[in-house]
Amino acid sequence: MVSLMYKGMTAAALLLVSCMTFAHPGHDHASSFMSGLSHPFGGLDHLLAMLAIGLWASNMKGRALWAVPTAFVLTMLAGGGLALAGLNLPFVEQGILLSVIVLGTLVFAAKRLSFITCVAVAGSFALFHGAAHGVEMPIDASSAHYALGFVSATAGLHALGLGLGQVMTRFASPMMIRISGSMIAATGLLLSVA
C-alpha cells in the first residue's frame, strides 16, 4: 500500500518535471499541452470528481484499484474525441455535477460494488468530463498535445486521490476517507444550486 502511494507521488513529481520541460520557449506544442494540463484544475467540479475517483479506488482491492482510474481516463479521451468530432453530448454540465455528487457519495458510503459496476460508473461519468475538455479546447491548440495535457492532469489527480486514500487508511483512519467523500458530495450539491 505504501509503495503504491510512493509510486503515485513519484508519478506526480515526474508530471511536474515534464510540465516544466514543456514550458520552455521554442516548443510549439507547449501552449496546447499546458492548456490541456490546466483545464481539469480550472473547475472545482472536475478537480473534485477526479480526486474522488482516486479516493474511491483506494478503497478497492485487486484490479479495481488501477482499473477504475484507467477506465475514467480512457473514456474521458473518448468523450474528448467525440466533442472534437463535433458530436454534442447532451447534459454535459449536469453530468459533471452529478459525477461529483455520486462519486463523493460512493466514497462516503464505502460500499463495495462489483468490478464491472465500478468501471462502468467511472467510465460513464468520464464521458461527460471528456466532452467538456474537448468542447473547451482552444481553437489554435493541437488536439493531441491538449489531450496529453488533460490526460496527464487527470492521471495525476487520480494518483493524488489514491495516495491520500492510502495515507488516510494507514496513518489516520478510514473514516477520514468517508468524511472526504461527504465533503465532495456536499460541494457537488452546492455547485448544482449555485
Side-chain angles (χ1 to χ4, degrees):
M1 297 292 176
V2 173
S3 68
L4 178 63
M5 178 187 72
Y6 290 127
K7 288 177 185 175
M9 290 180 180
T10 301
L14 290 173
L15 174 66
L16 291 175
V17 170
S18 70
C19 292
M20 289 186 279
T21 303
F22 276 118
H24 289 297
H27 294 283
D28 294 335
H29 58 275
S31 64
S32 297
F33 177 82
M34 293 307 289
S35 293
L37 186 72
S38 65
H39 191 264
F41 296 98
L44 187 58
D45 48 1
H46 289 299
L47 182 71
L48 290 175
M50 292 170 191
L51 283 173
I53 285 286
L55 286 169
W56 188 37
S58 75
N59 280 330
M60 299 177 198
K61 304 290 184 232
R63 61 188 178 165
L65 186 67
W66 60 266
V68 168
T70 301
F72 191 97
V73 169
L74 293 177
T75 311
M76 183 186 64
L77 269 173
L82 290 173
L84 291 175
L87 298 172
N88 293 324
L89 187 65
F91 307 112
V92 169
E93 289 304 318
Q94 294 85 348
I96 291 170
L97 287 172
L98 185 62
S99 75
V100 176
I101 296 165
V102 170
L103 292 170
T105 302
L106 288 168
V107 171
F108 169 71
K111 177 145 177 72
R112 302 276 182 211
L113 302 172
S114 73
F115 172 78
I116 295 297
T117 302
C118 293
V119 168
V121 167
S124 298
F125 287 132
L127 199 61
F128 293 108
H129 287 270
H133 293 322
V135 166
E136 296 170 12
M137 182 180 85
I139 294 171
D140 59 344
S142 158
S143 59
H145 294 129
Y146 180 78
L148 180 62
F150 74 72
V151 163
S152 298
T154 299
L157 287 167
H158 290 338
L160 179 61
L162 275 165
L164 287 172
Q166 297 296 320
V167 167
M168 285 186 239
T169 300
R170 183 163 176 93
F171 299 110
S173 162
M175 184 56 72
M176 292 299 295
I177 297 174
R178 296 183 75 180
I179 291 169
S180 299
S182 68
M183 292 170 58
I184 290 170
T187 304
L189 286 170
L190 287 173
L191 289 172
S192 68
V193 297

mmCIF file of all heavy atoms in Angstrom, residues 7 15 19-20 25 35 59 73 79 90 92 105-106 126 137 149 158 160 168 172 176 186:
data_model
loop_
_atom_site.group_PDB
_atom_site.id
_atom_site.type_symbol
_atom_site.label_atom_id
_atom_site.label_comp_id
_atom_site.label_asym_id
_atom_site.label_seq_id
_atom_site.Cartn_x
_atom_site.Cartn_y
_atom_site.Cartn_z
ATOM 1 N N LYS A 7 4.654 5.410 -5.441
ATOM 2 C CA LYS A 7 4.607 5.396 -6.907
ATOM 3 C C LYS A 7 3.724 6.527 -7.426
ATOM 4 O O LYS A 7 4.061 7.189 -8.403
ATOM 5 C CB LYS A 7 4.085 4.052 -7.415
ATOM 6 C CG LYS A 7 5.084 2.932 -7.250
ATOM 7 C CD LYS A 7 4.492 1.614 -7.712
ATOM 8 C CE LYS A 7 5.452 0.474 -7.426
ATOM 9 N NZ LYS A 7 4.873 -0.819 -7.753
ATOM 10 N N LEU A 15 5.362 14.232 -13.501
ATOM 11 C CA LEU A 15 4.433 15.052 -14.275
ATOM 12 C C LEU A 15 4.816 16.525 -14.169
ATOM 13 O O LEU A 15 4.841 17.241 -15.168
ATOM 14 C CB LEU A 15 3.001 14.828 -13.770
ATOM 15 C CG LEU A 15 1.918 15.707 -14.375
ATOM 16 C CD1 LEU A 15 1.766 15.390 -15.854
ATOM 17 C CD2 LEU A 15 0.604 15.468 -13.655
ATOM 18 N N CYS A 19 6.078 18.963 -17.142
ATOM 19 C CA CYS A 19 5.378 20.218 -17.422
ATOM 20 C C CYS A 19 6.368 21.365 -17.538
ATOM 21 O O CYS A 19 6.243 22.220 -18.399
ATOM 22 C CB CYS A 19 4.370 20.531 -16.320
ATOM 23 S SG CYS A 19 3.006 19.403 -16.288
ATOM 24 N N MET A 20 7.375 21.382 -16.646
ATOM 25 C CA MET A 20 8.382 22.439 -16.703
ATOM 26 C C MET A 20 9.177 22.327 -18.000
ATOM 27 O O MET A 20 9.538 23.330 -18.596
ATOM 28 C CB MET A 20 9.298 22.363 -15.486
ATOM 29 C CG MET A 20 8.594 22.783 -14.204
ATOM 30 S SD MET A 20 9.709 22.875 -12.802
ATOM 31 C CE MET A 20 9.802 21.157 -12.341
ATOM 32 N N PRO A 25 10.520 27.991 -23.842
ATOM 33 C CA PRO A 25 10.215 28.608 -25.132
ATOM 34 C C PRO A 25 10.755 27.764 -26.283
ATOM 35 O O PRO A 25 11.740 27.062 -26.136
ATOM 36 C CB PRO A 25 10.939 29.958 -25.066
ATOM 37 C CG PRO A 25 11.326 30.164 -23.652
ATOM 38 C CD PRO A 25 11.314 28.831 -22.983
ATOM 39 N N SER A 35 -2.493 24.144 -21.850
ATOM 40 C CA SER A 35 -3.939 24.402 -21.814
ATOM 41 C C SER A 35 -4.685 23.157 -21.363
ATOM 42 O O SER A 35 -5.589 23.226 -20.530
ATOM 43 C CB SER A 35 -4.453 24.823 -23.194
ATOM 44 O OG SER A 35 -3.949 26.065 -23.559
ATOM 45 N N ASN A 59 -10.158 2.510 -1.876
ATOM 46 C CA ASN A 59 -10.919 1.594 -1.022
ATOM 47 C C ASN A 59 -11.074 0.211 -1.644
ATOM 48 O O ASN A 59 -11.572 -0.698 -0.992
ATOM 49 C CB ASN A 59 -12.325 2.146 -0.748
ATOM 50 C CG ASN A 59 -12.316 3.182 0.331
ATOM 51 O OD1 ASN A 59 -11.493 3.159 1.230
ATOM 52 N ND2 ASN A 59 -13.239 4.116 0.238
ATOM 53 N N VAL A 73 -9.879 7.553 -17.368
ATOM 54 C CA VAL A 73 -9.000 8.257 -18.303
ATOM 55 C C VAL A 73 -9.312 7.872 -19.755
ATOM 56 O O VAL A 73 -9.432 8.743 -20.630
ATOM 57 C CB VAL A 73 -7.515 7.986 -17.969
ATOM 58 C CG1 VAL A 73 -6.603 8.493 -19.073
ATOM 59 C CG2 VAL A 73 -7.148 8.636 -16.638
ATOM 60 N N GLY A 79 -14.638 10.723 -24.828
ATOM 61 C CA GLY A 79 -15.559 11.867 -24.762
ATOM 62 C C GLY A 79 -14.957 13.103 -25.398
ATOM 63 O O GLY A 79 -15.640 13.846 -26.116
ATOM 64 N N PRO A 90 -25.424 15.578 -24.797
ATOM 65 C CA PRO A 90 -26.353 16.415 -24.027
ATOM 66 C C PRO A 90 -26.058 16.354 -22.526
ATOM 67 O O PRO A 90 -25.488 15.390 -22.031
ATOM 68 C CB PRO A 90 -27.725 15.797 -24.336
ATOM 69 C CG PRO A 90 -27.436 14.384 -24.717
ATOM 70 C CD PRO A 90 -26.065 14.391 -25.340
ATOM 71 N N VAL A 92 -23.970 17.870 -20.490
ATOM 72 C CA VAL A 92 -22.577 17.706 -20.063
ATOM 73 C C VAL A 92 -22.362 18.296 -18.672
ATOM 74 O O VAL A 92 -21.826 17.627 -17.785
ATOM 75 C CB VAL A 92 -21.600 18.321 -21.089
ATOM 76 C CG1 VAL A 92 -20.189 18.390 -20.543
ATOM 77 C CG2 VAL A 92 -21.621 17.515 -22.376
ATOM 78 N N THR A 105 -20.507 10.490 -2.854
ATOM 79 C CA THR A 105 -21.379 9.618 -2.063
ATOM 80 C C THR A 105 -20.831 8.193 -2.012
ATOM 81 O O THR A 105 -20.878 7.538 -0.967
ATOM 82 C CB THR A 105 -22.811 9.628 -2.638
ATOM 83 O OG1 THR A 105 -23.291 10.978 -2.629
ATOM 84 C CG2 THR A 105 -23.742 8.749 -1.838
ATOM 85 N N LEU A 106 -20.303 7.705 -3.121
ATOM 86 C CA LEU A 106 -19.707 6.363 -3.141
ATOM 87 C C LEU A 106 -18.489 6.275 -2.224
ATOM 88 O O LEU A 106 -18.288 5.269 -1.545
ATOM 89 C CB LEU A 106 -19.340 5.964 -4.568
ATOM 90 C CG LEU A 106 -20.518 5.628 -5.484
ATOM 91 C CD1 LEU A 106 -20.059 5.531 -6.938
ATOM 92 C CD2 LEU A 106 -21.202 4.354 -5.038
ATOM 93 N N ALA A 126 -16.872 9.802 -16.859
ATOM 94 C CA ALA A 126 -15.713 10.312 -17.589
ATOM 95 C C ALA A 126 -16.092 10.827 -18.965
ATOM 96 O O ALA A 126 -15.474 11.759 -19.474
ATOM 97 C CB ALA A 126 -14.662 9.216 -17.715
ATOM 98 N N MET A 137 -11.512 23.137 -25.722
ATOM 99 C CA MET A 137 -10.151 23.208 -26.246
ATOM 100 C C MET A 137 -9.978 24.509 -27.033
ATOM 101 O O MET A 137 -10.838 24.872 -27.830
ATOM 102 C CB MET A 137 -9.872 22.023 -27.179
ATOM 103 C CG MET A 137 -8.455 22.006 -27.709
ATOM 104 S SD MET A 137 -8.111 20.624 -28.800
ATOM 105 C CE MET A 137 -8.683 21.294 -30.351
ATOM 106 N N GLY A 149 -2.174 16.765 -22.285
ATOM 107 C CA GLY A 149 -2.198 17.617 -21.096
ATOM 108 C C GLY A 149 -3.322 17.259 -20.150
ATOM 109 O O GLY A 149 -3.093 17.066 -18.946
ATOM 110 N N HIS A 158 -5.909 11.543 -10.076
ATOM 111 C CA HIS A 158 -6.283 10.192 -9.624
ATOM 112 C C HIS A 158 -5.206 9.635 -8.689
ATOM 113 O O HIS A 158 -5.520 9.070 -7.633
ATOM 114 C CB HIS A 158 -6.462 9.240 -10.805
ATOM 115 C CG HIS A 158 -7.657 9.506 -11.661
ATOM 116 N ND1 HIS A 158 -8.767 10.203 -11.244
ATOM 117 C CD2 HIS A 158 -7.912 9.135 -12.938
ATOM 118 C CE1 HIS A 158 -9.644 10.250 -12.227
ATOM 119 N NE2 HIS A 158 -9.153 9.613 -13.269
ATOM 120 N N LEU A 160 -3.086 11.308 -6.909
ATOM 121 C CA LEU A 160 -3.140 12.059 -5.660
ATOM 122 C C LEU A 160 -4.260 11.534 -4.765
ATOM 123 O O LEU A 160 -4.066 11.325 -3.564
ATOM 124 C CB LEU A 160 -3.330 13.546 -5.937
ATOM 125 C CG LEU A 160 -3.439 14.458 -4.721
ATOM 126 C CD1 LEU A 160 -2.167 14.397 -3.887
ATOM 127 C CD2 LEU A 160 -3.728 15.890 -5.155
ATOM 128 N N MET A 168 -4.541 8.090 4.448
ATOM 129 C CA MET A 168 -5.611 8.182 5.441
ATOM 130 C C MET A 168 -5.912 6.819 6.057
ATOM 131 O O MET A 168 -6.155 6.716 7.253
ATOM 132 C CB MET A 168 -6.877 8.773 4.823
ATOM 133 C CG MET A 168 -6.809 10.257 4.588
ATOM 134 S SD MET A 168 -8.394 10.884 4.018
ATOM 135 C CE MET A 168 -7.938 11.586 2.463
ATOM 136 N N ALA A 172 -4.149 7.487 9.484
ATOM 137 C CA ALA A 172 -5.210 8.204 10.191
ATOM 138 C C ALA A 172 -6.328 7.216 10.487
ATOM 139 O O ALA A 172 -6.241 6.410 11.394
ATOM 140 C CB ALA A 172 -5.698 9.390 9.368
ATOM 141 N N MET A 176 -11.646 9.028 7.730
ATOM 142 C CA MET A 176 -11.229 10.269 7.072
ATOM 143 C C MET A 176 -11.572 10.241 5.584
ATOM 144 O O MET A 176 -11.959 11.255 5.017
ATOM 145 C CB MET A 176 -9.722 10.499 7.261
ATOM 146 C CG MET A 176 -9.311 10.800 8.690
ATOM 147 S SD MET A 176 -10.086 12.301 9.329
ATOM 148 C CE MET A 176 -9.373 13.526 8.281
ATOM 149 N N ALA A 186 -21.183 17.018 -0.799
ATOM 150 C CA ALA A 186 -21.846 18.248 -0.359
ATOM 151 C C ALA A 186 -21.448 19.431 -1.246
ATOM 152 O O ALA A 186 -22.288 20.259 -1.616
ATOM 153 C CB ALA A 186 -21.495 18.545 1.095
#
